Amino acid sequence: MGESNESVSVDAEKIYLGGKEHLIRTVSGSVSVIVYGDPDKPALITYPDLALNYMSCFQGLFFCPEAASLLLHNFCVYHISPPGHELGAATICPDDPVPSLDGLADQIIEILNYFRLGAVMCMGVTAGAYVLTLFAMKYRERVLGLILVSPLCRAPSWSEWFYNKVMSNLLYYYGMCGLVTEYLLQRYFSKEVRGSSEVPESDIVRACRKLLDERQSANVSRFLEAINGRRDITSGLKRLRCRTLIFVGEHSTFHSEAIHMMSKLDRRYSALVEVQACGSMVTEEQPHAMLIPMEYFLMGYGLYRPCQFSDSPRSPLSPSCISPELLSPESMGLKLKPIKTRVALEDSD
């Protein structure tokens, strides 16, 4: 699909902890983007997993002072929500076509063109990681690097396809019912934080449960349908031009997917970090585990953490959990030039 510059933005009267929401009309429908930081800095775009938005998928990471200082010191952050997943979203008209994941990847280029962004850093979780990986394959010159959390790259297994179909039926007949919520929480978190009859569930799980209750079931179902129809993009991984950092929880439902993806990437430019005692959503469950690897990764682009946080916090990672490639200067791109803040795009005729 060719690049489009015809997007229209409506600035909502909503401010989220200093960020401003933009509703951008694209070929695949309207999409919410919440922008934090100085727009003259390099751009970091985020994309969440199924039924989540930036608040429920990335707030743990951005509320971690050391990680927030690293990211917000170096980037202007553009949080993209899947269609109908933003805070306060209305139900999408059932007559609107369900966008494919390819369509959602094309939607990102429209967002970048609206904000006049050049090449960007990308961070995605599970389904969002798939969308951003696909975007990086289709628009390689627009991606500086990928930070992927519990990513997907293959078509659904038979068991995943079946469970997704069951969840689709539950969403259709019962909405965001208890069974759907429990399935999603198992997708995101390890058993330790979900709790049991003896141990109460953690605060992050309770907060996520509350946010899931606010989701429009029809909107979640549309994104789920797109995810369940995804294609295998393994063959394109070797052609990625950008460096890639993958995080996956030891107890993630998609642990084998992350291992498979890492095995297909060019090991000179990629690294895998396995986080102990953690589920799929490392950004919420173990955000501190991401700090040191991200510091190494971003050093390759001439970026750094402000000196007031010179001492890295204690990390749940053990040395054996860090892939040797992560500590390789060549792998982390220490010879790369620093990220340019912005590339001017010529207006199309």
Side-chain angles (χ1 to χ4, degrees):
M1 181 179 291
E3 298 182 7
S4 169
N5 290 310
E6 298 179 355
S7 300
V8 176
S9 171
V10 179
D11 293 339
E13 296 298 324
K14 294 180 181 178
I15 302 296
Y16 298 103
L17 299 174
K20 184 176 183 181
E21 182 180 40
H22 300 257
L23 295 176
I24 301 175
R25 194 174 304 133
T26 72
V27 171
S28 299
S30 295
V31 62
S32 169
V33 182
I34 295 182
V35 183
Y36 287 89
D38 182 353
D40 289 330
K41 290 183 177 180
L44 168 67
I45 66 172
T46 73
Y47 212 104
D49 192 17
L50 172 69
L52 301 176
N53 51 43
Y54 86 100
M55 184 64 75
S56 46
C57 195
F58 296 104
Q59 72 171 351
L61 180 63
F62 282 88
F63 280 9
C64 170
E66 297 87 354
S69 70
L70 173 67
L71 296 173
L72 294 176
H73 175 76
N74 291 295
F75 295 103
C76 182
V77 182
Y78 298 78
H79 290 299
I80 303 172
S81 291
H85 282 53
E86 66 272 16
L87 293 171
T91 301
I92 297 174
C93 176
D95 294 332
D96 290 351
V98 176
S100 66
L101 294 181
D102 281 271
L104 295 180
D106 292 330
Q107 189 177 64
I108 294 173
I109 201 69
E110 296 185 69
I111 294 168
L112 266 57
N113 288 347
Y114 170 78
F115 288 109
R116 302 190 67 83
L117 301 175
V120 300
M121 187 69 69
C122 300
M123 179 186 294
V125 177
T126 311
Y130 180 97
V131 173
L132 292 179
T133 303
L134 186 57
F135 171 70
M137 291 177 178
K138 299 182 76 170
Y139 302 97
R140 290 182 291 178
E141 72 284 355
R142 304 296 288 274
V143 177
L144 292 163
L146 288 169
I147 301 173
L148 306 176
V149 180
S150 304
L152 307 172
C153 65
R154 292 183 289 193
S157 64
W158 183 89
S159 59
E160 184 194 346
W161 181 90
F162 175 78
Y163 279 114
N164 287 345
K165 281 295 183 183
V166 171
M167 186 159 59
S168 291
N169 288 332
L170 289 171
L171 285 166
Y172 181 80
Y173 289 107
Y174 303 105
M176 291 296 292
C177 62
L179 282 175
V180 170
T181 299
E182 292 305 320
Y183 175 85
L184 290 170
L185 292 175
Q186 289 177 28
R187 175 187 177 98
Y188 307 145
F189 299 111
S190 66
K191 185 177 180 181
E192 286 77 8
V193 298
R194 295 200 314 272
S196 63
S197 56
E198 294 82 19
V199 181
E201 64 184 17
S202 71
D203 290 341
I204 60 170
V205 175
R206 283 197 294 272
C208 187
R209 183 187 296 276
K210 182 177 183 298
L211 288 166
L212 288 175
D213 288 342
E214 299 171 359
R215 295 277 72 78
Q216 298 290 343
S217 58
N219 299 353
V220 174
S221 182
R222 289 166 62 87
F223 193 25
L224 179 60
E225 184 178 338
I227 294 167
N228 220 24
R230 71 181 185 270
R231 57 189 172 88
D232 191 322
I233 56 174
T234 301
S235 61
L237 295 176
K238 287 286 187 183
R239 298 195 298 272
L240 285 176
R241 292 179 181 174
C242 61
R243 282 163 168 76
T244 304
L245 176 60
I246 296 176
F247 293 92
V248 65
E250 177 187 17
H251 302 307
S252 170
T253 307
F254 305 104
H255 183 273
S256 63
E257 280 286 318
I259 300 299
H260 169 78
M261 185 172 185
M262 182 63 197
S263 72
K264 302 302 180 182
L265 288 166
D266 189 329
R267 287 185 176 270
R268 295 173 298 171
Y269 310 113
S270 56
L272 172 70
V273 179
E274 296 180 78
V275 184
Q276 293 178 326
C278 188
S280 296
M281 198 155 48
V282 184
T283 51
E284 290 294 298
E285 193 170 339
Q286 298 275 17
H288 277 95
M290 299 179 66
L291 177 61
I292 295 172
M294 284 196 304
E295 283 187 295
Y296 277 101
F297 185 70
L298 295 179
M299 279 170 56
Y301 298 89
L303 305 177
Y304 61 93
R305 191 159 52 117
C307 59
Q308 61 261 38
F309 292 108
S310 57
D311 296 325
S312 295
R314 191 174 299 170
S315 171
L317 292 170
S318 67
S320 63
C321 293
I322 302 180
S323 172
E325 292 87 354
L326 179 63
L327 305 180
S328 163
E330 180 185 5
S331 169
M332 289 297 96
L334 295 182
K335 295 181 181 180
L336 286 180
K337 296 179 181 179
I339 295 177
K340 294 181 180 179
T341 57
R342 185 173 292 246
V343 176
L345 299 175
E346 294 183 2
D347 292 332
S348 59
D349 295 333

